[in-house]
Amino acid sequence: MRLTTLLFCMVAPFAAVAQDNYPAKPVKVLVPYSPGGATDIIARIVAQRLTESLKESFIVENRPGANGNIALEATAKAPADGYTLLVGNVSTNAINENIYADQLTIRPTRDLVGITKLVEIPHIVVANANFPANNIGEFVAAAKKAPGKINYASVGMGSYPHLDMERLERVAGIELTHVPYKGGAGQAIPAMIGGEVQVAFFNMASLLPHIRSGRLKALAAVPAERLAELPNVPTLAEQGYPGIGTNAWQGMFAPAATPKPVIDKLYSSVAGVLTKPEQKDGLAKQMMSVAVSKSPEEFSELVRKETQAWGDFVREAKIKVE
């Protein structure tokens, strides 16, 4: 028997046992932003539930910076054994591949594999409580009177809050000043409350408590229908700007070469905990709709298609990070 064949025969059973026993040690769940935003919130909920169901610790580690690229690269370059995972979103895992093509040393659609979509979160256009505009028409009018004087926040250059506002600027014929926050919504929202920036596209999971407290105010809802939580806030379409805004999702990923039995076990475990009625109801109260994919393959294909679509927009708009 050839040496390589002999070694394979010796190692394969141990590899299979390791996969069957997964997880046999703590699992790192990387989050590409600082604590406090939607990605961090859902990552911590899922990590806690997996810790309970799989009887091993799933530990969230925040790796903010470079608009998510630090966490992306750390995950892609980690051992493909299921012990380093990523909770990312449409910005990190569909947009960054296009925006940061020259900076990334990895390619997310090639070097990461999707496990499942986790949740979808409705978005709104939100403003500082003292901002004089109360709707999109008033916001656009104010911006036209003072080109470049209104600041808008994002979670980084090329993130969907940045690109969505770029779209609105183009359609409305206005000029704003972009202020990116590398720490994500956890940094950007306090800055907006404090008046450092005036407006942004952000998700309701991060914003609703601040809107209810009066520290922020909603100018428009992104979904096709008004939000039940904000019935008096018209949609962007109602205010003359249809087709602007992102259907934002959060999802779980692993290094591309992670064994399929491990991916399948993670998928079934996540699906099992998120689709429980009490968990779905609890997340709904936080403005997160459970949206588990039918399979890891379906989720990976969704990410591939969205990456291609965002690439088309980025090239058309000639947006590039040097």
Side-chain angles (χ1 to χ4, degrees):
M1 181 180 291
R2 298 176 68 179
L3 179 59
T4 52
T5 304
L6 177 61
L7 288 173
F8 175 79
C9 292
M10 293 172 62
V11 171
F14 292 103
V17 170
Q19 293 168 25
D20 288 343
N21 291 338
Y22 175 85
K25 62 180 182 179
V27 178
K28 291 189 295 186
V29 182
L30 303 188
V31 172
Y33 307 113
S34 300
T39 307
D40 180 72
I41 291 169
I42 188 59
R44 292 182 184 277
I45 290 171
V46 171
Q48 179 183 344
R49 297 294 178 260
L50 290 178
T51 296
E52 295 166 357
S53 65
L54 294 177
K55 311 303 180 186
E56 189 56 80
S57 296
F58 282 71
I59 303 167
V60 171
E61 290 189 10
N62 297 89
R63 299 276 188 95
N67 197 24
N69 289 341
I70 291 174
L72 274 178
E73 296 207 350
T75 307
K77 295 175 181 178
D81 54 10
Y83 290 96
T84 301
L85 307 174
L86 171 77
V87 173
N89 57 42
V90 63
S91 283
T92 58
N93 290 82
I95 297 174
N96 282 17
E97 185 165 321
N98 299 292
I99 290 285
Y100 294 99
D102 294 338
Q103 288 83 6
L104 282 167
T105 61
I106 57 111
R107 194 167 69 199
T109 52
R110 178 193 65 200
D111 299 322
L112 295 171
V113 60
I115 297 169
T116 183
K117 185 192 292 185
L118 301 171
V119 294
E120 293 181 351
I121 307 172
H123 278 57
I124 62 173
V125 182
V126 66
N128 172 274
N130 296 321
F131 188 56
N134 293 303
N135 55 52
I136 295 299
E138 293 177 0
F139 164 43
V140 169
K144 287 184 175 179
K145 288 181 181 178
K149 300 297 184 181
I150 296 174
N151 297 333
Y152 75 91
S154 83
V155 296
M157 181 70 72
S159 63
Y160 62 84
H162 168 214
L163 298 185
D164 284 345
M165 195 64 82
E166 282 270 351
R167 282 174 163 160
L168 183 58
E169 284 184 275
R170 287 168 174 268
V171 172
I174 58 176
E175 179 186 347
L176 309 171
T177 295
H178 179 209
V179 182
Y181 291 87
K182 67 179 183 180
Q187 287 185 343
I189 291 173
M192 186 179 300
I193 292 172
E196 183 177 306
V197 290
Q198 288 73 53
V199 294
F201 277 85
F202 275 142
N203 69 76
M204 282 287 286
S206 301
L207 297 172
L208 191 57
H210 303 297
I211 293 171
R212 285 174 170 166
S213 70
R215 287 176 289 186
L216 296 174
K217 61 181 174 182
L219 305 184
V222 170
E225 303 292 335
R226 293 193 185 195
L227 297 166
E229 293 77 9
L230 300 172
N232 296 322
V233 177
T235 66
L236 272 170
E238 286 181 88
Q239 299 185 68
Y241 297 93
I244 295 177
T246 299
N247 176 32
W249 47 260
Q250 313 287 328
M252 181 172 277
F253 300 83
T258 302
K260 192 171 187 308
V262 172
I263 296 295
D264 290 343
K265 187 168 187 177
L266 283 164
Y267 169 79
S268 61
S269 299
V270 172
V273 298
L274 284 187
T275 55
K276 290 181 178 178
E278 62 271 22
Q279 186 65 72
K280 292 177 72 173
D281 292 344
L283 286 168
K285 292 176 182 177
Q286 299 185 65
M287 297 304 300
M288 296 185 184
S289 300
V290 172
V292 173
S293 307
K294 292 181 180 177
S295 68
E297 292 77 16
E298 181 193 63
F299 181 47
S300 290
E301 179 62 12
L302 167 73
V303 175
R304 186 194 67 77
K305 288 181 177 178
E306 292 207 4
T307 300
Q308 182 177 343
W310 278 109
D312 293 340
F313 171 72
V314 166
R315 285 185 289 274
E316 178 187 344
K318 295 183 172 60
I319 299 170
K320 189 176 182 181
V321 177
E322 300 295 340

